[in-house]
Amino acid sequence: MPAPDARTEEAGTAAEGKGKPTPPGHLVVQVYNEDAGGPPLRVSSGPGEKLSKVVDAVYRALGVTQKSEDRLTCLATGEDVRQYSELHLREYAAGQCSDLVWTFARDTGGARA
């Protein structure tokens, strides 16, 4: 039997590839990487997971180390996702960013206004 995915076991989140179903009850965050372009990365997590762990899973899936200068924002509001790190994903989706679509860019990357 193969070893379980460490991301799934540790944080209750998983990056999703094509054809992988979302576990029942999980919420899916789509992240557009403004530096790399392409289709959005999808990360699923249980609704009771802390947003800080979801953010950690996003960074693992992106294959980059988190830096304070990075921009990880809710697409609909433009607000920094990380300021809500203590909320559970369901609380965040109910109030701050209901569509759970985020954008990511390094401080030197992505489109600037």
Side-chain angles (χ1 to χ4, degrees):
M1 180 162 108
D5 182 328
R7 287 179 296 209
T8 304
E9 190 173 33
E10 174 192 342
T13 59
E16 304 204 356
K18 291 183 179 179
K20 286 192 177 184
T22 301
H26 274 212
L27 300 174
V28 176
V29 175
Q30 293 185 70
V31 182
Y32 287 89
N33 185 339
E34 293 183 348
D35 294 338
L41 168 75
R42 294 170 42 93
V43 175
S44 73
S45 183
E49 194 66 70
K50 289 274 188 168
L51 199 60
S52 60
K53 288 193 177 186
V54 178
V55 168
D56 289 345
V58 166
Y59 274 89
R60 277 193 305 277
L62 289 167
V64 297
T65 303
Q66 191 171 165
K67 295 182 180 179
S68 61
E69 302 85 21
D70 293 343
R71 295 185 313 272
L72 184 61
T73 59
C74 171
L75 182 63
T77 65
E79 288 190 311
D80 184 344
V81 171
R82 295 175 293 178
Q83 69 180 318
Y84 299 105
S85 64
E86 290 304 309
L87 290 180
H88 293 105
L89 185 57
R90 93 171 65 76
E91 296 169 313
Y92 179 72
Q96 283 70 29
C97 189
S98 61
D99 62 359
L100 294 178
V101 177
W102 300 351
T103 61
F104 167 81
R106 288 290 190 188
D107 91 346
T108 57
R112 298 225 185 230

